Amino acid sequence: MTETIRLAAGSDDGAEISLLGAELVSWRAGGVDLVWEPQPEVWPQTAPLLFPVVGWTRDGIRVDGARFPLGLHGFARHKRFTLLERSETAVSLSLEEDEESRTLYPFAFRLEAHFSLRPGELRVSLTTSNRDARPLPYALGLHPGFRWPLDGSAAAHAIHFETEESGEVPVIAPGGLFSARRRAIPLEERRLPLSDALLEQEALCFLGAASRRLLYDNGEGLALAVELEDFPHIALWARPPAPFLCIEAWTGHGDPEDFSGDLYEKPSMRILGPGERATHAATFRLEKRRASE
């Protein structure tokens, strides 16, 4: 069995993080279980970390004329992280390049994942460091699957964005690639009602989202707030009727369907100079709301 790290912040708040992929496998806040229980036949994961790319690539990646078979969401979710330090309420893990990773992504890097638990709140921060002698192109993301319905609510659920967002999202082409076409979604000002029909057509991707905060509302006075730091893209993904909703935070996204350039040229990739590092974070907080909100 894969080793996991357990965190606790009182009797009603706890989390469990796997060393495999630094994956959040459970989180309980205020006595409410929030992370879905995986079903291998539907989706075997709970909250994978995406690195060094997000989404699908078009036949792998190309770096300085050489091709590497890097696939969906990169490889970090399949690698065992090293434990750096831990306390009752926090843990820090790290991943560095190895012989296998260089066959997929020919760079020296360090990825650190830090989880911090407080009553009703979980913060996740990811720091990428360039250990290479040349610039490091990367993208990373959080892909947590939350329970839907939330806390067993039979009411209609919705996403509330902090500010107005586009009422259209990109159409996902075959192979998970991004097309130039767009499709309309039933966004009502800043409120997006959730339904199986809405989410059965692939992910809803808000590229360059204006909102840095959103609420996943269960319609009965309970909501999960998501606050983002340096994650410009937001995605919602599910596999109805499976009981989960992924609220994803990305720095990059999948390849456009006509993209065949170098990884350095791929849209939305971040570039770190030698010795540079960058941190991206998300805070998840369980909130009680008034019915009128």
Side-chain angles (χ1 to χ4, degrees):
M1 182 175 294
T2 302
E3 184 179 355
T4 58
I5 305 297
R6 297 179 184 273
L7 307 180
S11 59
D12 290 332
D13 290 78
E16 189 173 0
I17 297 96
S18 173
L19 291 183
L20 180 62
E23 184 170 11
L24 177 70
V25 295
S26 70
W27 175 34
R28 184 175 178 83
V32 179
D33 289 313
L34 295 167
V35 176
W36 95 297
E37 295 183 11
Q39 300 172 12
E41 69 278 9
V42 176
W43 185 49
Q45 297 184 281
T46 52
L49 298 187
L50 318 181
F51 178 87
V53 293
V54 171
W56 290 92
T57 61
R58 188 171 180 265
D59 300 321
I61 62 172
R62 291 150 292 280
V63 178
D64 296 334
R67 181 181 172 277
F68 299 86
L70 184 64
L72 174 66
H73 295 324
F75 52 74
R77 60 199 174 116
H78 303 304
K79 305 288 284 185
R80 190 181 191 279
F81 280 60
T82 299
L83 176 62
L84 296 178
E85 58 180 330
R86 63 179 294 186
S87 67
E88 185 177 2
T89 60
V91 63
S92 295
L93 308 171
S94 72
L95 177 70
E96 296 182 357
E97 80 284 351
D98 58 20
E99 184 177 348
E100 179 185 35
S101 75
R102 283 186 173 277
T103 67
L104 303 172
Y105 176 70
F107 298 96
F109 68 89
R110 180 182 177 93
L111 175 64
E112 297 178 27
H114 181 75
F115 297 81
S116 179
L117 183 70
R118 297 175 58 187
E121 179 182 295
L122 178 68
R123 176 179 168 82
V124 184
S125 65
L126 302 176
T127 298
T128 304
S129 300
N130 182 0
R131 291 161 28 91
D132 212 285
R134 57 179 170 171
L136 179 85
Y138 79 94
L140 54 76
L142 298 171
H143 195 314
F146 298 108
R147 298 189 182 211
W148 180 20
L150 182 62
D151 198 30
S153 170
H157 288 47
I159 296 292
H160 297 262
F161 291 98
E162 175 186 38
T163 190
E164 291 187 9
E165 300 291 348
S166 172
E168 295 184 333
V169 295
V171 172
I172 306 301
L177 304 179
F178 279 69
S179 76
R181 294 169 290 130
R182 301 181 71 84
R183 64 183 175 100
I185 56 173
L187 189 60
E188 304 165 354
E189 293 184 347
R190 294 178 296 151
R191 181 179 182 272
L192 179 65
L194 296 174
S195 67
D196 285 0
L198 174 67
L199 289 155
E200 66 186 3
Q201 300 180 51
E202 259 297 347
L204 309 182
C205 303
F206 299 86
L207 303 184
S211 299
R212 297 296 86 209
R213 172 182 162 92
L214 61 83
L215 289 172
Y216 170 38
D217 183 4
N218 80 345
E220 293 186 346
L222 196 69
L224 178 66
V226 181
E227 299 175 356
L228 304 177
E229 301 171 32
D230 204 12
F231 278 113
H233 312 307
I234 298 169
L236 305 175
W237 178 74
R239 282 185 170 167
F244 72 86
L245 172 71
C246 288
I247 303 175
E248 305 182 41
W250 301 344
T251 68
H253 56 74
D255 283 4
E257 61 181 334
D258 60 351
F259 180 73
S260 59
D262 193 277
L263 187 62
Y264 287 104
E265 303 167 345
K266 178 178 172 175
S268 203
M269 295 296 288
R270 300 291 180 95
I271 310 294
L272 289 178
E276 292 184 343
R277 51 189 283 153
T279 297
H280 313 268
T283 300
F284 304 94
R285 184 180 301 111
L286 194 64
E287 298 184 354
K288 294 184 178 180
R289 311 182 70 225
R290 297 189 301 272
S292 59
E293 292 183 296

